[in-house]
């Protein structure tokens, strides 16, 4: 039975501000958990690569989902100055099942593995025309078709830039010289200390020997002389 306040209105029929706040916090937490645990794709910590004209490059991409996948759809696209060109696509039925990849570019090869959530591709014999952004896309029906994408940028050059290691060589040389000087100093110090200790021991031995000789000459010799000078009764 609903209680009635002093105004005569039913308390159970009204929502208190505290209840609304509690419901809002619960909804926020649920949305936060959903966002954290949702589908994500990644092209790695470095989202670009610089490669020589005519070489073969790996375009990396992996996906993750805390609740698992079912009929996960993925694709690779190339952004050709605003024109989106599909390179390949496929559906992964479930975890650990190899997809049947449909490759739509003659120099593209799928090298991913569902066991590692890997959907990477190789691009063979690249040219300057291949330079640009490559989009890895995935959609997971198990998460109400939640989708995510990541961009990997390819830079094509005639030759790779040579890294100037002059500063590194200088630093290593200086550190090596300092370490060598410290080692030599420690060796010399050890030799000097060892020499001083041996010299000190020799001095102590000489003092002991000299003290023994003095006692013999002054003590025993004097006693004999006194006995010889004692007159007989």
């Amino acid at each position: 039975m609903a209680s009635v306040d002093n105004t005569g209105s039913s308390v159970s029929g009204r929502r208190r501000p505290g209840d609304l706040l509690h419901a809002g916090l619960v909804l926020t937490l649920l949305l936060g958990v959903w966002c954290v645990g949702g589908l994500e794709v990644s092209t790695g910590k470095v989202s670009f690569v610089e490669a020589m004209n005519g070489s073969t490059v790996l375009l990396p991409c992996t996906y993750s989902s805390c609740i698992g996948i079912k009929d996960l759809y993925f694709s690779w696209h190339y952004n050709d100055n605003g024109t989106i060109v599909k390179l390949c696509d496929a559906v992964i039925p479930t975890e650990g099942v190899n997809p049947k990849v449909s490759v739509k570019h003659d120099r593209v090869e799928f090298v991913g593995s569902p066991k590692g959530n890997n959907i990477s591709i190789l691009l063979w014999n690249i040219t300057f025309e291949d330079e640009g952004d490559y989009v890895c896309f995935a959609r997971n029906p198990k998460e109400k078709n939640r989708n995510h994408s990541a961009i990997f940028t390819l830079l094509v050059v005639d030759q790779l830039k040579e890294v100037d290691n002059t500063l590194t060589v200088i630093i290593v040389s200086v550190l090596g010289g300092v370490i060598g000087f410290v080692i030599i100093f420690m060796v010399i110090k050890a030799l000097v200390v060892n020499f001083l200790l041996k010299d000190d021991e020799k001095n102590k031995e000489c003092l002991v020997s000299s003290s023994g000789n003095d006692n013999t000459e002054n003590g025993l010799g004097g006693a004999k002389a006194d006995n010889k000078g004692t007159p007989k009764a």
Side-chain angles (χ1 to χ4, degrees):
M1 181 176 182
S3 60
V4 180
D5 59 8
N6 294 331
T7 61
S9 60
S10 173
V11 175
S12 61
R14 293 183 300 169
R15 292 187 177 180
R16 292 172 294 179
D19 295 336
L20 294 176
L21 178 61
H22 182 265
L25 290 174
V26 171
L27 180 61
T28 301
L29 290 174
L30 289 175
L31 289 175
V33 171
W34 173 258
C35 292
V36 171
L39 176 70
E40 289 188 359
V41 295
S42 172
T43 55
K45 295 181 179 180
V46 180
S47 59
F48 69 93
V49 66
E50 188 175 272
M52 289 183 59
N53 180 31
S55 63
T56 298
V57 295
L58 173 69
L59 304 181
C61 187
T62 57
Y63 66 87
S64 62
S65 175
C66 66
I67 66 172
I69 65 166
K70 182 176 177 58
D71 294 330
L72 175 77
Y73 171 81
F74 74 88
S75 63
W76 274 95
H77 295 81
Y78 170 60
N79 186 357
D80 186 8
N81 294 324
T83 303
I84 304 301
V85 179
K86 182 181 290 187
L87 303 177
C88 68
D89 64 348
V91 173
I92 303 176
T94 186
E95 301 282 353
V97 177
N98 290 318
K100 295 181 179 180
V101 182
S102 175
V103 178
K104 306 179 185 302
H105 193 287
D106 57 355
R107 290 186 288 113
V108 168
E109 178 184 355
F110 178 75
V111 292
S113 172
K115 294 182 180 179
N117 296 348
N118 191 333
I119 49 177
S120 304
I121 61 173
L122 281 179
L123 184 59
W124 293 84
N125 301 323
I126 62 173
T127 66
F128 291 104
E129 295 179 354
D130 295 324
E131 185 172 273
D133 294 334
Y134 291 80
V135 182
C136 178
F137 172 84
R139 182 176 62 245
N140 188 16
K142 192 173 182 178
E143 299 180 68
K144 296 183 179 180
N145 284 325
R146 182 183 178 90
N147 60 77
H148 195 245
S149 62
I151 298 176
F152 192 81
T153 303
L154 173 62
L155 305 175
V156 183
V157 296
D158 281 327
Q159 59 182 7
L160 298 177
K161 297 179 181 179
E162 295 183 0
V163 179
D164 187 2
N165 295 323
T166 304
L167 181 60
T168 303
V169 172
I170 293 174
I171 294 175
V172 172
S173 300
V174 171
L175 289 176
V178 171
I179 294 173
F181 174 78
V182 171
I183 293 174
I184 293 174
F185 174 78
M186 296 299 293
V187 171
I188 294 175
K189 181 180 178 181
L191 293 175
V192 171
V193 170
N194 188 40
F195 175 78
L196 292 176
L197 288 176
K198 288 184 178 180
D199 187 61
D200 188 49
E201 290 177 357
K202 289 182 179 179
N203 291 334
K204 288 182 180 179
E205 291 177 357
C206 291
L207 289 174
V208 172
S209 300
S210 176
S211 176
N213 293 334
D214 291 343
N215 290 335
T216 301
E217 293 175 358
N218 296 331
L220 296 177
K224 291 180 180 179
D226 292 342
N227 290 335
K228 290 181 181 179
T230 303
K232 296 180 179 181

